[in-house]
Amino acid sequence: MDARVVGVDVGSVALGRFAWAALDTPALSVAGQGSDPEGAVQSLVAGLGADRRAALVLEAPMSVPVPATDRADGWSALGRARAGEGNRPWSAGAGAGVLATGVAQAAWMLGRLADAAPGTTVTTRPERWTAPHGPRLLVAEALVSGTGKPVPTAAGPHAADAEAACRALAERLRRPSDLASDVRCAPHRPFNLVAAATLWAGLDIAADELHQDVLVVRARPVRVDADQDRTATTVGPFGPVRDPGDG
């Protein structure tokens, strides 16, 4: 699919912990990178030009599980991890903190997009986005943690995480059959935070998505050639890549 994918490492803008990176598919050509939300929005706007489609993938929990409300003891499952998160639940430690920051940043970027590209249609469901005449913007979540953490780049760890989030989705778009979510709210009902933020921003999204999962793509371990010198500095698509073994 011909699309612009913008990956965002959610973090404090005041402390310089926000970063974005963009790739164009299917060639995975570099379309830009930066450290401010406005730059991420403008990259999306450019990607949506000429009737193309774009995707925004955020490294922050974008849907949360809500237990059944038709039983008095449903509250006992509140805060449980989503299926597939493992020991990185949305509700604990770093997950809870980045969720709060991510909701605010997603709402701002979607609101800014509504000003810059009014009428943009949005979905969190890949099957709707890839359908003929489907919504033009897909918003997804990336899980960049553990073995999926990238090696650091010259631009810093936040830029590396943004690239990893971007690449995790962009590579799957080359094989649409791989667009199954790695994380789900089941068996509980999803509360789709992206859908809520999209409605808040005044953009068009199907109302039923408030109760559906957001696509979550897990970043895979960085592949290193067997004969590569583990102490060498190599050059990646977004600049020099330093192996952690460099110290």
Side-chain angles (χ1 to χ4, degrees), residues 126-213:
E127 70 277 7
R128 294 180 178 180
W129 184 64
T130 56
H133 311 296
R136 296 182 63 206
L137 177 68
L138 173 70
V139 185
E141 174 188 336
L143 188 58
V144 185
S145 62
T147 57
K149 275 285 187 181
V151 294
T153 70
H158 304 296
D161 280 7
E163 179 191 340
C166 176
R167 189 168 293 279
L169 180 57
E171 288 183 344
R172 291 207 193 182
L173 293 182
R174 303 170 87 179
R175 303 178 303 276
S177 60
D178 288 349
L179 286 175
S181 186
D182 293 324
V183 172
R184 296 176 180 82
C185 290
H188 305 300
R189 191 182 190 190
F191 174 24
N192 187 322
L193 302 172
V194 169
T198 300
L199 292 171
W200 178 90
L203 290 170
D204 181 20
I205 189 170
D208 67 333
E209 295 201 25
L210 281 168
H211 308 292
Q212 298 192 40
D213 274 309

Side-chain angles (χ1 to χ4, degrees), residues 2 8 18 51 75 82 113 141 154-155 164 173 182 194 235 241:
D2 179 20
V8 168
F18 178 99
D51 293 325
W75 57 266
R82 296 176 294 179
L113 183 65
E141 174 188 336
L173 293 182
D182 293 324
V194 169
V235 177
V241 177

Side-chain angles (χ1 to χ4, degrees), residues 2-3 26 32 37 64 70 85 113 125-126 133 146 153 156 168 176 195 212-213 218 227 236-238 247:
D2 179 20
V64 296
D70 60 353
E85 284 186 310
L113 183 65
R125 306 298 302 170
H133 311 296
T153 70
Q212 298 192 40
D213 274 309
R218 186 186 297 275
D227 58 351
F238 288 87

Side-chain angles (χ1 to χ4, degrees), residues 21-24 27-33 150-155 159-160 162-164 166-167 171 222-223 234-242:
L23 293 170
D24 283 333
L28 300 186
S29 56
V30 176
Q33 63 178 332
V151 294
T153 70
E163 179 191 340
C166 176
R167 189 168 293 279
E171 288 183 344
V222 176
R223 294 186 295 272
T234 59
V235 177
F238 288 87
V241 177
R242 181 183 60 81

Side-chain angles (χ1 to χ4, degrees), residues 10 56 58 62 101-111 139 193-194 197 201:
V10 167
L56 173 64
L58 303 154
M62 286 289 112
T101 300
V103 168
Q105 292 181 357
W108 187 90
M109 287 186 284
L110 289 167
V139 185
L193 302 172
V194 169

Side-chain angles (χ1 to χ4, degrees), residues 11-107:
S12 170
V13 293
L15 298 178
R17 294 173 180 166
F18 178 99
W20 66 270
L23 293 170
D24 283 333
T25 63
L28 300 186
S29 56
V30 176
Q33 63 178 332
S35 57
D36 66 279
E38 174 67 8
V41 172
Q42 291 306 317
S43 184
L44 284 173
V45 172
L48 288 166
D51 293 325
R52 293 177 69 212
R53 299 189 188 187
L56 173 64
V57 55
L58 303 154
E59 194 200 351
M62 286 289 112
S63 63
V64 296
V66 180
T69 56
D70 60 353
R71 40 186 294 181
D73 63 348
W75 57 266
S76 62
L78 284 166
R80 299 280 179 86
R82 296 176 294 179
E85 284 186 310
N87 63 353
R88 304 275 182 173
W90 66 272
S91 54
V98 77
L99 182 152
T101 300
V103 168
Q105 292 181 357

Side-chain angles (χ1 to χ4, degrees), residues 212-229:
Q212 298 192 40
D213 274 309
V214 175
L215 171 68
V216 182
V217 291
R218 186 186 297 275
R220 306 302 181 189
V222 176
R223 294 186 295 272
V224 178
D225 294 338
D227 58 351
Q228 180 178 322
D229 180 359

